[in-house]
Amino acid sequence: MARRKKIYEGKAKTLYEGPEPGTIVQYFKDDATAFNAEKKDVIEGKGVLNNILSEYFMLGLANVGVPTHFLKRLNMREQLVRSCEIIPLEVIVRNYAAGSMSKRLGIEEGTQLPRPIVEYCYKEDKLGDPLVTEEHIAAFGWATQQDMDDILSLALRVNDFLSGVMYGVGIKLVDFKIEIGRVFEGDFQRLVVADEISPDSCRLWDLETGEKLDKDVFRRDLGSLTDAYTEVANRLGLLPKNQPPMGKPTLIN
Ligand code: TMP
């Protein structure tokens, strides 16, 4: 079989040309990075877990009418997605203070915010993804005002959906990051949720104990990242019963 064409290699995923025009194969690696790749490791099984978790969240979003780039999962590590033009923003929604917001504003981690707060970072590794305002976004032409209205509405719908799903399995959605892509349909463009939704891009705390079940386990050296992600996948019913936490994840279907 001919070698397929690599389109892009990021920190946690590699993108390959898909089988049909307008499609891309998204391969989930086991690489974990933090602090703009200053901290790095390979965590066996992370890619498999993120692949099934992202599939689950993207399918759930589509079921409640939120458009995404996801088409189907191909195997343990790959999914087929629609090719889209990624808007160079990290869209962050926060329900509780944590991470960079706690540092920046001196708010204790875990403090409930008066309402969900949406932040935008300019996606540029060389600059460490700096926080920007809608003024920067409009002035530099990264997105139009109409795009920004649509992005805000998508971000809040994702927040409502994900908060509910996680609450249902005893997990608090503290915050998350999404990326938005433009899909072109003839002369029209549509905005869709792209990239991935996984514990790499969310903060997830156990409702009862506050235990962290997300990438902060790696960022802050709190224990086994695969145990944490396996716990999330198990609670959502995505793994066979009694999956040993350190075992290589097996898929239900
Ligand atoms: P922050 O508190 O470090 O700004 O992170 C906010 C949310 O965004 C958190 O859920 C983790 C996620 N995130 C990413 O997905 N990618 C990143 O590069 C960073 C810095 C955060």
Side-chain angles (χ1 to χ4, degrees):
M1 203 174 95
R3 247 176 90 81
R4 58 190 173 173
K5 189 170 161 209
K6 191 193 277 188
I7 298 174
Y8 175 81
E9 177 148 10
K11 285 177 283 204
K13 295 186 294 300
T14 306
L15 305 183
Y16 297 95
E17 213 165 65
E20 311 285 341
T23 64
I24 283 183
V25 174
Q26 186 165 267
Y27 176 97
F28 287 76
K29 302 193 284 185
D30 281 342
D31 301 14
T33 66
F35 315 117
N36 207 10
E38 270 173 39
K39 181 177 165 108
K40 284 188 208 176
D41 206 348
V42 176
I43 315 271
E44 197 186 341
K46 179 177 85 90
V48 175
L49 288 160
N50 280 352
N51 186 23
I52 52 165
L53 283 159
S54 198
E55 172 194 27
Y56 178 80
F57 295 130
M58 293 289 184
L59 284 178
L61 283 169
N63 279 336
V64 298
V66 176
T68 80
H69 73 159
F70 181 84
L71 293 171
K72 66 172 178 179
R73 183 164 59 75
L74 298 170
N75 54 50
M76 298 270 277
R77 288 197 179 265
E78 295 178 324
Q79 45 185 247
L80 190 69
V81 301
R82 289 187 71 175
S83 143
C84 49
E85 185 183 295
I86 296 287
I87 294 179
L89 295 174
E90 301 213 326
V91 180
I92 296 169
V93 183
R94 300 180 186 272
N95 298 305
Y96 297 82
S100 67
M101 173 186 250
S102 287
K103 267 203 198 119
R104 196 178 332 111
L105 301 179
I107 306 174
E108 193 184 340
E109 286 210 318
T111 309
Q112 187 164 15
L113 299 171
R115 61 185 172 84
I117 295 179
V118 182
E119 294 176 346
Y120 305 100
C121 292
Y122 177 48
K123 219 174 117 59
E124 178 53 86
D125 280 345
K126 278 185 286 190
L127 304 173
D129 301 339
L131 188 69
V132 291
T133 67
E134 290 197 43
E135 278 289 287
H136 299 101
I137 296 166
F140 296 124
W142 298 324
T144 64
Q145 190 52 56
Q146 179 63 55
D147 290 337
M148 291 312 293
D149 293 347
D150 294 346
I151 290 172
L152 179 64
S153 144
L154 279 174
L156 293 175
R157 290 171 75 194
V158 173
N159 187 43
D160 285 346
F161 169 77
L162 275 186
S163 297
V165 167
M166 297 320 298
Y167 189 81
V169 294
I171 292 173
K172 183 192 274 190
L173 178 67
V174 173
D175 58 30
F176 65 92
K177 180 269 298 187
I178 50 172
E179 295 184 21
I180 304 292
R182 298 178 203 280
V183 168
F184 295 95
E185 283 160 4
D187 286 343
F188 294 95
Q189 71 145 36
R190 221 153 60 98
L191 297 186
V192 300
V193 177
D195 189 53
E196 72 177 276
I197 300 179
S198 74
D200 267 12
S201 53
C202 301
R203 282 200 175 88
L204 305 170
W205 295 359
D206 181 84
L207 268 179
E208 299 271 304
T209 64
E211 183 191 357
K212 293 185 189 352
L213 299 171
D214 57 63
K215 199 166 135 190
D216 274 347
V217 170
F218 169 73
R219 293 189 189 97
R220 304 179 187 191
D221 295 318
L222 300 176
S224 159
L225 195 70
T226 39
D227 282 4
Y229 290 19
T230 301
E231 175 68 19
V232 176
N234 265 330
R235 289 198 199 184
L236 292 168
L238 303 180
L239 300 174
K241 290 255 177 312
N242 304 321
Q243 175 86 15
M246 287 306 288
K248 289 206 182 116
T250 333
L251 304 185
I252 276 176
N253 52 33

PDB file of all heavy atoms in Angstrom, residues 11 35-36 90-94 98-102 104 119 121 125 128-129 174-178 200-203 215-216 219, ligand 1:
ATOM      1  N   LYS A  11       1.756  18.242  18.729  1.00  0.00           N
ATOM      2  CA  LYS A  11       2.374  17.675  19.924  1.00  0.00           C
ATOM      3  C   LYS A  11       1.722  16.355  20.329  1.00  0.00           C
ATOM      4  O   LYS A  11       2.393  15.444  20.794  1.00  0.00           O
ATOM      5  CB  LYS A  11       2.324  18.693  21.066  1.00  0.00           C
ATOM      6  CG  LYS A  11       3.364  19.802  20.846  1.00  0.00           C
ATOM      7  CD  LYS A  11       3.317  20.870  21.904  1.00  0.00           C
ATOM      8  CE  LYS A  11       2.160  21.802  21.674  1.00  0.00           C
ATOM      9  NZ  LYS A  11       2.332  23.127  22.269  1.00  0.00           N
ATOM     10  N   PHE A  35       3.436  22.993  29.443  1.00  0.00           N
ATOM     11  CA  PHE A  35       4.223  24.235  29.510  1.00  0.00           C
ATOM     12  C   PHE A  35       4.928  24.481  28.182  1.00  0.00           C
ATOM     13  O   PHE A  35       6.146  24.669  28.131  1.00  0.00           O
ATOM     14  CB  PHE A  35       5.210  24.199  30.692  1.00  0.00           C
ATOM     15  CG  PHE A  35       4.572  23.685  31.955  1.00  0.00           C
ATOM     16  CD1 PHE A  35       5.009  22.510  32.571  1.00  0.00           C
ATOM     17  CD2 PHE A  35       3.476  24.349  32.505  1.00  0.00           C
ATOM     18  CE1 PHE A  35       4.385  22.016  33.705  1.00  0.00           C
ATOM     19  CE2 PHE A  35       2.857  23.862  33.643  1.00  0.00           C
ATOM     20  CZ  PHE A  35       3.303  22.693  34.239  1.00  0.00           C
ATOM     21  N   ASN A  36       4.128  24.455  27.104  1.00  0.00           N
ATOM     22  CA  ASN A  36       4.641  24.685  25.755  1.00  0.00           C
ATOM     23  C   ASN A  36       5.817  23.761  25.444  1.00  0.00           C
ATOM     24  O   ASN A  36       6.850  24.193  24.946  1.00  0.00           O
ATOM     25  CB  ASN A  36       5.005  26.168  25.583  1.00  0.00           C
ATOM     26  CG  ASN A  36       4.893  26.583  24.127  1.00  0.00           C
ATOM     27  OD1 ASN A  36       4.382  25.821  23.302  1.00  0.00           O
ATOM     28  ND2 ASN A  36       5.381  27.755  23.811  1.00  0.00           N
ATOM     29  N   GLU A  90      -7.398  29.407  20.635  1.00  0.00           N
ATOM     30  CA  GLU A  90      -7.798  28.398  21.606  1.00  0.00           C
ATOM     31  C   GLU A  90      -8.959  29.036  22.366  1.00  0.00           C
ATOM     32  O   GLU A  90      -8.814  30.117  22.943  1.00  0.00           O
ATOM     33  CB  GLU A  90      -6.643  28.099  22.557  1.00  0.00           C
ATOM     34  CG  GLU A  90      -5.428  27.604  21.802  1.00  0.00           C
ATOM     35  CD  GLU A  90      -4.606  26.593  22.559  1.00  0.00           C
ATOM     36  OE1 GLU A  90      -4.519  26.696  23.788  1.00  0.00           O
ATOM     37  OE2 GLU A  90      -4.051  25.688  21.902  1.00  0.00           O
ATOM     38  N   VAL A  91     -10.112  28.399  22.277  1.00  0.00           N
ATOM     39  CA  VAL A  91     -11.304  28.953  22.929  1.00  0.00           C
ATOM     40  C   VAL A  91     -11.470  28.213  24.254  1.00  0.00           C
ATOM     41  O   VAL A  91     -11.661  26.997  24.269  1.00  0.00           O
ATOM     42  CB  VAL A  91     -12.546  28.760  22.027  1.00  0.00           C
ATOM     43  CG1 VAL A  91     -13.785  29.330  22.691  1.00  0.00           C
ATOM     44  CG2 VAL A  91     -12.311  29.399  20.656  1.00  0.00           C
ATOM     45  N   ILE A  92     -11.344  28.957  25.344  1.00  0.00           N
ATOM     46  CA  ILE A  92     -11.373  28.339  26.678  1.00  0.00           C
ATOM     47  C   ILE A  92     -12.657  28.748  27.385  1.00  0.00           C
ATOM     48  O   ILE A  92     -13.033  29.927  27.353  1.00  0.00           O
ATOM     49  CB  ILE A  92     -10.146  28.804  27.498  1.00  0.00           C
ATOM     50  CG1 ILE A  92      -8.864  28.292  26.826  1.00  0.00           C
ATOM     51  CG2 ILE A  92     -10.217  28.337  28.947  1.00  0.00           C
ATOM     52  CD1 ILE A  92      -7.594  28.892  27.367  1.00  0.00           C
ATOM     53  N   VAL A  93     -13.335  27.773  27.981  1.00  0.00           N
ATOM     54  CA  VAL A  93     -14.516  28.085  28.793  1.00  0.00           C
ATOM     55  C   VAL A  93     -14.209  27.639  30.217  1.00  0.00           C
ATOM     56  O   VAL A  93     -13.735  26.524  30.431  1.00  0.00           O
ATOM     57  CB  VAL A  93     -15.781  27.360  28.275  1.00  0.00           C
ATOM     58  CG1 VAL A  93     -17.004  27.770  29.107  1.00  0.00           C
ATOM     59  CG2 VAL A  93     -16.016  27.664  26.806  1.00  0.00           C
ATOM     60  N   ARG A  94     -14.478  28.521  31.165  1.00  0.00           N
ATOM     61  CA  ARG A  94     -14.182  28.206  32.570  1.00  0.00           C
ATOM     62  C   ARG A  94     -15.450  28.318  33.416  1.00  0.00           C
ATOM     63  O   ARG A  94     -16.161  29.323  33.334  1.00  0.00           O
ATOM     64  CB  ARG A  94     -13.160  29.198  33.135  1.00  0.00           C
ATOM     65  CG  ARG A  94     -11.840  29.186  32.386  1.00  0.00           C
ATOM     66  CD  ARG A  94     -10.877  30.193  32.989  1.00  0.00           C
ATOM     67  NE  ARG A  94      -9.656  30.313  32.203  1.00  0.00           N
ATOM     68  CZ  ARG A  94      -8.574  29.551  32.369  1.00  0.00           C
ATOM     69  NH1 ARG A  94      -8.551  28.626  33.296  1.00  0.00           N
ATOM     70  NH2 ARG A  94      -7.514  29.738  31.610  1.00  0.00           N
ATOM     71  N   ALA A  98      -9.153  28.060  37.884  1.00  0.00           N
ATOM     72  CA  ALA A  98      -8.046  27.088  37.975  1.00  0.00           C
ATOM     73  C   ALA A  98      -6.946  27.571  37.036  1.00  0.00           C
ATOM     74  O   ALA A  98      -7.145  28.520  36.261  1.00  0.00           O
ATOM     75  CB  ALA A  98      -8.495  25.681  37.558  1.00  0.00           C
ATOM     76  N   GLY A  99      -5.803  26.911  37.120  1.00  0.00           N
ATOM     77  CA  GLY A  99      -4.733  27.116  36.155  1.00  0.00           C
ATOM     78  C   GLY A  99      -4.340  28.564  35.968  1.00  0.00           C
ATOM     79  O   GLY A  99      -4.139  29.307  36.935  1.00  0.00           O
ATOM     80  N   SER A 100      -4.242  28.982  34.702  1.00  0.00           N
ATOM     81  CA  SER A 100      -3.706  30.316  34.409  1.00  0.00           C
ATOM     82  C   SER A 100      -4.643  31.427  34.903  1.00  0.00           C
ATOM     83  O   SER A 100      -4.185  32.518  35.242  1.00  0.00           O
ATOM     84  CB  SER A 100      -3.432  30.474  32.914  1.00  0.00           C
ATOM     85  OG  SER A 100      -4.629  30.464  32.178  1.00  0.00           O
ATOM     86  N   MET A 101      -5.953  31.147  34.976  1.00  0.00           N
ATOM     87  CA  MET A 101      -6.839  32.208  35.473  1.00  0.00           C
ATOM     88  C   MET A 101      -6.607  32.451  36.965  1.00  0.00           C
ATOM     89  O   MET A 101      -6.576  33.600  37.430  1.00  0.00           O
ATOM     90  CB  MET A 101      -8.307  31.853  35.244  1.00  0.00           C
ATOM     91  CG  MET A 101      -9.226  32.870  35.910  1.00  0.00           C
ATOM     92  SD  MET A 101     -10.947  32.433  35.829  1.00  0.00           S
ATOM     93  CE  MET A 101     -11.495  33.685  34.699  1.00  0.00           C
ATOM     94  N   SER A 102      -6.409  31.361  37.708  1.00  0.00           N
ATOM     95  CA  SER A 102      -6.162  31.515  39.140  1.00  0.00           C
ATOM     96  C   SER A 102      -4.886  32.311  39.380  1.00  0.00           C
ATOM     97  O   SER A 102      -4.842  33.197  40.225  1.00  0.00           O
ATOM     98  CB  SER A 102      -6.048  30.144  39.820  1.00  0.00           C
ATOM     99  OG  SER A 102      -7.325  29.571  39.897  1.00  0.00           O
ATOM    100  N   ARG A 104      -3.364  34.408  37.206  1.00  0.00           N
ATOM    101  CA  ARG A 104      -3.447  35.773  36.670  1.00  0.00           C
ATOM    102  C   ARG A 104      -4.261  36.679  37.573  1.00  0.00           C
ATOM    103  O   ARG A 104      -3.908  37.833  37.794  1.00  0.00           O
ATOM    104  CB  ARG A 104      -4.072  35.716  35.261  1.00  0.00           C
ATOM    105  CG  ARG A 104      -3.894  36.943  34.440  1.00  0.00           C
ATOM    106  CD  ARG A 104      -4.499  36.836  33.024  1.00  0.00           C
ATOM    107  NE  ARG A 104      -4.560  35.502  32.491  1.00  0.00           N
ATOM    108  CZ  ARG A 104      -5.702  34.815  32.292  1.00  0.00           C
ATOM    109  NH1 ARG A 104      -6.867  35.357  32.568  1.00  0.00           N
ATOM    110  NH2 ARG A 104      -5.672  33.596  31.803  1.00  0.00           N
ATOM    111  N   GLU A 119     -12.622  32.688  27.257  1.00  0.00           N
ATOM    112  CA  GLU A 119     -11.376  33.409  26.972  1.00  0.00           C
ATOM    113  C   GLU A 119     -10.845  32.934  25.621  1.00  0.00           C
ATOM    114  O   GLU A 119     -11.108  31.801  25.215  1.00  0.00           O
ATOM    115  CB  GLU A 119     -10.285  33.070  27.993  1.00  0.00           C
ATOM    116  CG  GLU A 119     -10.561  33.536  29.389  1.00  0.00           C
ATOM    117  CD  GLU A 119      -9.475  33.084  30.383  1.00  0.00           C
ATOM    118  OE1 GLU A 119      -8.648  32.199  30.047  1.00  0.00           O
ATOM    119  OE2 GLU A 119      -9.482  33.600  31.489  1.00  0.00           O
ATOM    120  N   CYS A 121      -7.207  32.539  23.328  1.00  0.00           N
ATOM    121  CA  CYS A 121      -5.746  32.643  23.232  1.00  0.00           C
ATOM    122  C   CYS A 121      -5.376  32.528  21.768  1.00  0.00           C
ATOM    123  O   CYS A 121      -5.994  31.754  21.021  1.00  0.00           O
ATOM    124  CB  CYS A 121      -5.062  31.516  24.009  1.00  0.00           C
ATOM    125  SG  CYS A 121      -5.309  31.671  25.781  1.00  0.00           S
ATOM    126  N   ASP A 125       2.551  28.679  19.094  1.00  0.00           N
ATOM    127  CA  ASP A 125       3.478  28.080  20.067  1.00  0.00           C
ATOM    128  C   ASP A 125       4.677  28.971  20.382  1.00  0.00           C
ATOM    129  O   ASP A 125       5.117  29.035  21.523  1.00  0.00           O
ATOM    130  CB  ASP A 125       3.980  26.719  19.561  1.00  0.00           C
ATOM    131  CG  ASP A 125       2.961  25.614  19.808  1.00  0.00           C
ATOM    132  OD1 ASP A 125       2.031  25.838  20.611  1.00  0.00           O
ATOM    133  OD2 ASP A 125       3.089  24.543  19.194  1.00  0.00           O
ATOM    134  N   GLY A 128       3.767  31.103  23.033  1.00  0.00           N
ATOM    135  CA  GLY A 128       3.154  30.468  24.213  1.00  0.00           C
ATOM    136  C   GLY A 128       1.653  30.712  24.281  1.00  0.00           C
ATOM    137  O   GLY A 128       1.090  30.831  25.378  1.00  0.00           O
ATOM    138  N   ASP A 129       0.981  30.795  23.129  1.00  0.00           N
ATOM    139  CA  ASP A 129      -0.487  30.952  23.068  1.00  0.00           C
ATOM    140  C   ASP A 129      -1.005  32.073  23.985  1.00  0.00           C
ATOM    141  O   ASP A 129      -1.719  31.808  24.962  1.00  0.00           O
ATOM    142  CB  ASP A 129      -1.186  29.630  23.424  1.00  0.00           C
ATOM    143  CG  ASP A 129      -0.808  28.486  22.503  1.00  0.00           C
ATOM    144  OD1 ASP A 129      -0.335  28.740  21.389  1.00  0.00           O
ATOM    145  OD2 ASP A 129      -0.982  27.322  22.929  1.00  0.00           O
ATOM    146  N   VAL A 174     -14.368  21.659  35.211  1.00  0.00           N
ATOM    147  CA  VAL A 174     -13.804  22.919  35.725  1.00  0.00           C
ATOM    148  C   VAL A 174     -13.592  23.900  34.575  1.00  0.00           C
ATOM    149  O   VAL A 174     -14.023  25.056  34.635  1.00  0.00           O
ATOM    150  CB  VAL A 174     -12.474  22.636  36.461  1.00  0.00           C
ATOM    151  CG1 VAL A 174     -11.770  23.931  36.857  1.00  0.00           C
ATOM    152  CG2 VAL A 174     -12.740  21.763  37.687  1.00  0.00           C
ATOM    153  N   ASP A 175     -12.949  23.432  33.521  1.00  0.00           N
ATOM    154  CA  ASP A 175     -12.736  24.270  32.330  1.00  0.00           C
ATOM    155  C   ASP A 175     -12.360  23.365  31.157  1.00  0.00           C
ATOM    156  O   ASP A 175     -12.142  22.168  31.341  1.00  0.00           O
ATOM    157  CB  ASP A 175     -11.658  25.350  32.573  1.00  0.00           C
ATOM    158  CG  ASP A 175     -10.312  24.785  32.980  1.00  0.00           C
ATOM    159  OD1 ASP A 175      -9.978  23.659  32.569  1.00  0.00           O
ATOM    160  OD2 ASP A 175      -9.577  25.470  33.718  1.00  0.00           O
ATOM    161  N   PHE A 176     -12.308  23.925  29.981  1.00  0.00           N
ATOM    162  CA  PHE A 176     -11.860  23.163  28.808  1.00  0.00           C
ATOM    163  C   PHE A 176     -11.458  24.122  27.701  1.00  0.00           C
ATOM    164  O   PHE A 176     -11.776  25.308  27.750  1.00  0.00           O
ATOM    165  CB  PHE A 176     -12.942  22.193  28.296  1.00  0.00           C
ATOM    166  CG  PHE A 176     -14.169  22.884  27.758  1.00  0.00           C
ATOM    167  CD1 PHE A 176     -14.280  23.198  26.405  1.00  0.00           C
ATOM    168  CD2 PHE A 176     -15.218  23.234  28.590  1.00  0.00           C
ATOM    169  CE1 PHE A 176     -15.414  23.839  25.899  1.00  0.00           C
ATOM    170  CE2 PHE A 176     -16.353  23.885  28.100  1.00  0.00           C
ATOM    171  CZ  PHE A 176     -16.449  24.184  26.763  1.00  0.00           C
ATOM    172  N   LYS A 177     -10.768  23.539  26.723  1.00  0.00           N
ATOM    173  CA  LYS A 177     -10.340  24.304  25.550  1.00  0.00           C
ATOM    174  C   LYS A 177     -10.869  23.615  24.305  1.00  0.00           C
ATOM    175  O   LYS A 177     -10.815  22.383  24.214  1.00  0.00           O
ATOM    176  CB  LYS A 177      -8.817  24.332  25.533  1.00  0.00           C
ATOM    177  CG  LYS A 177      -8.173  25.084  24.399  1.00  0.00           C
ATOM    178  CD  LYS A 177      -7.851  24.289  23.164  1.00  0.00           C
ATOM    179  CE  LYS A 177      -6.876  23.185  23.312  1.00  0.00           C
ATOM    180  NZ  LYS A 177      -6.468  22.526  22.041  1.00  0.00           N
ATOM    181  N   ILE A 178     -11.414  24.368  23.372  1.00  0.00           N
ATOM    182  CA  ILE A 178     -11.758  23.785  22.071  1.00  0.00           C
ATOM    183  C   ILE A 178     -11.122  24.617  20.952  1.00  0.00           C
ATOM    184  O   ILE A 178     -10.718  25.754  21.174  1.00  0.00           O
ATOM    185  CB  ILE A 178     -13.290  23.686  21.808  1.00  0.00           C
ATOM    186  CG1 ILE A 178     -13.994  25.018  22.080  1.00  0.00           C
ATOM    187  CG2 ILE A 178     -13.895  22.543  22.583  1.00  0.00           C
ATOM    188  CD1 ILE A 178     -15.459  25.032  21.645  1.00  0.00           C
ATOM    189  N   ASP A 200      -6.968  15.715  27.906  1.00  0.00           N
ATOM    190  CA  ASP A 200      -5.808  16.575  27.622  1.00  0.00           C
ATOM    191  C   ASP A 200      -6.233  18.045  27.560  1.00  0.00           C
ATOM    192  O   ASP A 200      -5.419  18.930  27.783  1.00  0.00           O
ATOM    193  CB  ASP A 200      -5.216  16.230  26.238  1.00  0.00           C
ATOM    194  CG  ASP A 200      -4.099  15.206  26.298  1.00  0.00           C
ATOM    195  OD1 ASP A 200      -3.912  14.578  27.359  1.00  0.00           O
ATOM    196  OD2 ASP A 200      -3.408  15.019  25.272  1.00  0.00           O
ATOM    197  N   SER A 201      -7.489  18.275  27.181  1.00  0.00           N
ATOM    198  CA  SER A 201      -7.911  19.654  26.913  1.00  0.00           C
ATOM    199  C   SER A 201      -9.021  20.121  27.864  1.00  0.00           C
ATOM    200  O   SER A 201      -9.676  21.134  27.605  1.00  0.00           O
ATOM    201  CB  SER A 201      -8.372  19.776  25.458  1.00  0.00           C
ATOM    202  OG  SER A 201      -9.342  18.791  25.177  1.00  0.00           O
ATOM    203  N   CYS A 202      -9.248  19.354  28.937  1.00  0.00           N
ATOM    204  CA  CYS A 202     -10.279  19.735  29.936  1.00  0.00           C
ATOM    205  C   CYS A 202      -9.662  19.661  31.328  1.00  0.00           C
ATOM    206  O   CYS A 202      -8.677  18.965  31.528  1.00  0.00           O
ATOM    207  CB  CYS A 202     -11.432  18.737  29.955  1.00  0.00           C
ATOM    208  SG  CYS A 202     -12.315  18.520  28.424  1.00  0.00           S
ATOM    209  N   ARG A 203     -10.265  20.328  32.282  1.00  0.00           N
ATOM    210  CA  ARG A 203      -9.982  20.014  33.694  1.00  0.00           C
ATOM    211  C   ARG A 203     -11.206  19.313  34.257  1.00  0.00           C
ATOM    212  O   ARG A 203     -12.330  19.843  34.182  1.00  0.00           O
ATOM    213  CB  ARG A 203      -9.668  21.269  34.513  1.00  0.00           C
ATOM    214  CG  ARG A 203      -8.279  21.777  34.298  1.00  0.00           C
ATOM    215  CD  ARG A 203      -7.771  22.696  35.407  1.00  0.00           C
ATOM    216  NE  ARG A 203      -6.379  23.030  35.160  1.00  0.00           N
ATOM    217  CZ  ARG A 203      -5.964  24.060  34.416  1.00  0.00           C
ATOM    218  NH1 ARG A 203      -6.847  24.903  33.902  1.00  0.00           N
ATOM    219  NH2 ARG A 203      -4.693  24.266  34.217  1.00  0.00           N
ATOM    220  N   LYS A 215      -5.173  16.235  32.448  1.00  0.00           N
ATOM    221  CA  LYS A 215      -3.736  16.375  32.169  1.00  0.00           C
ATOM    222  C   LYS A 215      -2.967  17.084  33.280  1.00  0.00           C
ATOM    223  O   LYS A 215      -1.720  17.035  33.295  1.00  0.00           O
ATOM    224  CB  LYS A 215      -3.546  17.099  30.827  1.00  0.00           C
ATOM    225  CG  LYS A 215      -2.171  16.893  30.228  1.00  0.00           C
ATOM    226  CD  LYS A 215      -2.150  17.321  28.772  1.00  0.00           C
ATOM    227  CE  LYS A 215      -0.948  18.141  28.438  1.00  0.00           C
ATOM    228  NZ  LYS A 215      -1.049  18.742  27.100  1.00  0.00           N
ATOM    229  N   ASP A 216      -3.646  17.724  34.218  1.00  0.00           N
ATOM    230  CA  ASP A 216      -2.932  18.290  35.369  1.00  0.00           C
ATOM    231  C   ASP A 216      -2.187  17.198  36.139  1.00  0.00           C
ATOM    232  O   ASP A 216      -1.194  17.484  36.804  1.00  0.00           O
ATOM    233  CB  ASP A 216      -3.894  19.040  36.311  1.00  0.00           C
ATOM    234  CG  ASP A 216      -4.101  20.499  35.884  1.00  0.00           C
ATOM    235  OD1 ASP A 216      -3.327  20.986  35.028  1.00  0.00           O
ATOM    236  OD2 ASP A 216      -5.035  21.142  36.407  1.00  0.00           O
ATOM    237  N   ARG A 219       0.937  17.443  34.277  1.00  0.00           N
ATOM    238  CA  ARG A 219       1.576  18.756  34.454  1.00  0.00           C
ATOM    239  C   ARG A 219       2.161  18.888  35.858  1.00  0.00           C
ATOM    240  O   ARG A 219       3.218  19.444  36.056  1.00  0.00           O
ATOM    241  CB  ARG A 219       0.554  19.895  34.258  1.00  0.00           C
ATOM    242  CG  ARG A 219       0.008  20.036  32.850  1.00  0.00           C
ATOM    243  CD  ARG A 219      -0.816  21.321  32.699  1.00  0.00           C
ATOM    244  NE  ARG A 219      -1.527  21.372  31.439  1.00  0.00           N
ATOM    245  CZ  ARG A 219      -2.811  21.017  31.281  1.00  0.00           C
ATOM    246  NH1 ARG A 219      -3.533  20.610  32.326  1.00  0.00           N
ATOM    247  NH2 ARG A 219      -3.371  21.080  30.088  1.00  0.00           N
TER     248      ARG A 219
HETATM  249  P1  TMP B   1      -5.028  27.166  31.524  1.00  0.00           P
HETATM  250  O1  TMP B   1      -5.663  27.347  32.862  1.00  0.00           O
HETATM  251  O2  TMP B   1      -3.635  26.609  31.580  1.00  0.00           O
HETATM  252  O3  TMP B   1      -5.098  28.420  30.693  1.00  0.00           O
HETATM  253  O4  TMP B   1      -5.880  26.067  30.753  1.00  0.00           O
HETATM  254  C1  TMP B   1      -7.268  26.231  30.525  1.00  0.00           C
HETATM  255  C2  TMP B   1      -7.828  24.981  29.862  1.00  0.00           C
HETATM  256  O5  TMP B   1      -7.286  24.801  28.576  1.00  0.00           O
HETATM  257  C3  TMP B   1      -7.511  23.690  30.611  1.00  0.00           C
HETATM  258  O6  TMP B   1      -8.667  22.865  30.560  1.00  0.00           O
HETATM  259  C4  TMP B   1      -6.407  23.041  29.847  1.00  0.00           C
HETATM  260  C5  TMP B   1      -6.633  23.545  28.451  1.00  0.00           C
HETATM  261  N1  TMP B   1      -5.393  23.761  27.729  1.00  0.00           N
HETATM  262  C6  TMP B   1      -5.179  23.116  26.524  1.00  0.00           C
HETATM  263  O7  TMP B   1      -6.014  22.332  26.070  1.00  0.00           O
HETATM  264  N2  TMP B   1      -4.027  23.371  25.845  1.00  0.00           N
HETATM  265  C7  TMP B   1      -3.070  24.222  26.296  1.00  0.00           C
HETATM  266  O8  TMP B   1      -2.041  24.408  25.637  1.00  0.00           O
HETATM  267  C8  TMP B   1      -3.301  24.890  27.554  1.00  0.00           C
HETATM  268  C9  TMP B   1      -2.293  25.846  28.112  1.00  0.00           C
HETATM  269  C10 TMP B   1      -4.480  24.630  28.213  1.00  0.00           C
END
